[in-house]
Amino acid sequence: MQEIREYVTIKKEQIKAYVGTLTLKPKLVIVQVNEDKASCAYVNGKLKDLNEIGAIGELIKLDTSITQEELLNVIKGLNEDETVDGFIVQMPLPSQIDEEIIKRSVDPIKDVDGFNPLSTYLSATSKGILTYLEDNNFEFSGKNAVILGRSNIVGRPMHDILLNKNMNVTILHSKTSEEDRKFYIEHASLIVVAIGKKYYLDNRYNYRDDCVVMDVGINRDIDNHLYGDCIPTLNVKFQSPVPRGVGLLTRLSLTLNLIECYKRRHNL
Ligand code: NAP
């Protein structure tokens, strides 16, 4: 498997070359309604990616006291704005705002995050993992996949994607017994871990020789460093690092979804 950072750099160069051929540049707007440090880092990373591929990135930062009605109005404006190809509403949102209502209010054709259940795009993290595995010739068909975590943004979409690739897919969650957990994990050729617990997965299991682990977890510890859901030294064929692993693939997917969105909107 190719090193993720190197893989992402090459893919971004390819996207940049494509954007270079366009007279009208793809435009993505990010709406941020928080002062969250991690969110600010994600937003800056996304804006940097857009700049690197030659697309237009714009940040709309709103006051955290905004009402749901006011935010819905901003979204309505972006849905209708012909100059905007795609936009995302950065999570989390302030407590007075219902995140599900907001996710569902984004026009599915502009929803490059894939958060709206009606979105025509794959959710960015799952798409990033899929594209990376495909480009690295991972053999999906007939193999066992285990996903730890059943969130709407990672675990569940990942399940459907891998099922469509003809894998035998099992989702494990907090209520899975240790006995079953051991059984499924030790039979898996692919493990996607998205639970948000530092170093949860370690070498207490006997992994298959061909096992590939994609670590989605991002856990900021009191030392302010980022840690994955897995220890960095799993006895597996390949594991994605944290940081500079799935996070980079997620950001890459956002640019890929933006290009897809642009092509659809401009009938290319
Ligand atoms: P989430 O909403 O935080 O939910 C956690 C999930 O993990 C729940 O489904 C929970 O099960 C399950 N879980 C908890 N302990 C478990 C255990 N011991 N074994 C199996 N499952 C367990 O999930 P999320 O939003 O997908 O986030 C998960 C992690 O991924 C976080 O660290 C987040 O920061 C990170 N993340 C990273 C990216 C990226 O781009 N790299 C993108 C999104 C999220 P129950 O449903 O039973 O409670």
Side-chain angles (χ1 to χ4, degrees):
M1 308 280 282
Q2 190 176 13
E3 202 225 334
I4 292 183
R5 203 159 32 161
E6 186 187 23
Y7 166 80
V8 169
T9 305
I10 293 168
K11 291 288 275 190
K12 271 164 60 177
E13 283 301 322
Q14 290 167 354
I15 302 170
K16 184 182 174 183
Y18 174 73
V19 173
T21 66
L22 306 169
T23 31
L24 196 61
K25 301 300 174 203
K27 179 172 171 180
L28 180 107
V29 175
I30 302 174
V31 181
Q32 187 182 4
V33 202
N34 64 51
E35 296 296 338
D36 187 65
K37 256 192 178 172
S39 276
C40 290
Y42 297 147
V43 166
N44 286 337
K46 289 168 189 175
L47 291 171
K48 183 170 163 271
D49 291 339
L50 293 166
N51 186 38
E52 280 173 9
I53 63 158
I56 302 167
E58 193 179 296
L59 174 63
I60 299 181
K61 212 163 176 191
L62 301 170
D63 198 278
T64 51
S65 63
I66 192 171
T67 65
Q68 182 163 297
E69 204 57 33
E70 286 166 335
L71 180 56
L72 285 170
N73 266 331
V74 173
I75 292 172
K76 185 168 179 282
L78 291 168
N79 282 338
E80 290 167 359
D81 188 338
E82 280 303 315
T83 70
V84 174
D85 291 297
F87 68 97
I88 62 176
V89 182
Q90 182 67 39
M91 300 294 151
L93 295 172
S95 56
Q96 73 274 18
I97 296 172
D98 184 328
E99 290 191 351
E100 286 311 310
I101 291 179
I102 298 303
K103 285 177 188 168
R104 285 166 197 267
S105 68
V106 177
D107 182 345
I109 201 136
K110 293 190 174 186
D111 177 28
V112 284
D113 248 342
F115 282 176
N116 187 331
L118 297 176
S119 175
T120 45
Y121 305 94
L122 293 178
S123 84
T125 302
S126 330
K127 178 180 176 139
I129 293 173
L130 172 73
T131 314
Y132 175 69
L133 293 173
E134 280 179 339
D135 286 345
N136 279 276
N137 300 317
F138 179 82
E139 273 185 48
F140 296 89
S141 190
K143 299 274 177 67
N144 300 327
V146 164
I147 301 162
L148 281 91
R150 52 177 162 180
S151 71
N152 287 332
I153 59 162
V154 185
R156 288 168 198 254
M158 201 70 242
H159 171 275
D160 293 351
I161 285 172
L162 296 177
L163 196 58
N164 287 339
K165 297 295 287 183
N166 297 320
M167 295 197 83
N168 315 313
V169 195
T170 308
I171 292 198
L172 310 182
H173 46 75
S174 65
K175 306 293 182 290
T176 307
S177 72
E178 187 48 40
E179 189 188 1
D180 289 338
R181 192 177 295 261
K182 180 175 165 59
F183 174 82
Y184 287 112
I185 287 177
E186 293 191 348
H187 283 82
S189 296
L190 175 64
I191 303 176
V192 179
V193 196
I195 61 175
K197 290 186 176 165
K198 177 187 168 185
Y199 288 178
Y200 173 78
L201 205 62
D202 57 19
N203 284 322
R204 67 188 178 281
Y205 301 111
N206 293 313
Y207 300 99
R208 283 177 58 106
D209 290 343
D210 67 348
C211 185
V212 167
V213 175
M214 299 304 291
D215 187 350
V216 182
I218 300 178
N219 308 292
R220 194 175 288 275
D221 215 337
I222 42 170
D223 59 9
N224 215 22
H225 285 106
L226 296 183
Y227 296 90
D229 285 347
C230 310
I231 61 163
T233 51
L234 288 179
N235 293 327
V236 293
K237 184 178 157 203
F238 173 83
Q239 76 177 108
S240 65
V242 176
R244 287 180 287 280
V246 173
L248 288 183
L249 298 176
T250 303
R251 278 166 51 181
L252 175 68
S253 302
L254 200 66
T255 60
L256 288 171
N257 278 350
L258 176 66
I259 299 302
E260 202 180 314
C261 179
Y262 179 93
K263 285 181 175 172
R264 284 193 208 170
R265 293 190 68 244
H266 298 271
N267 296 318
L268 295 174

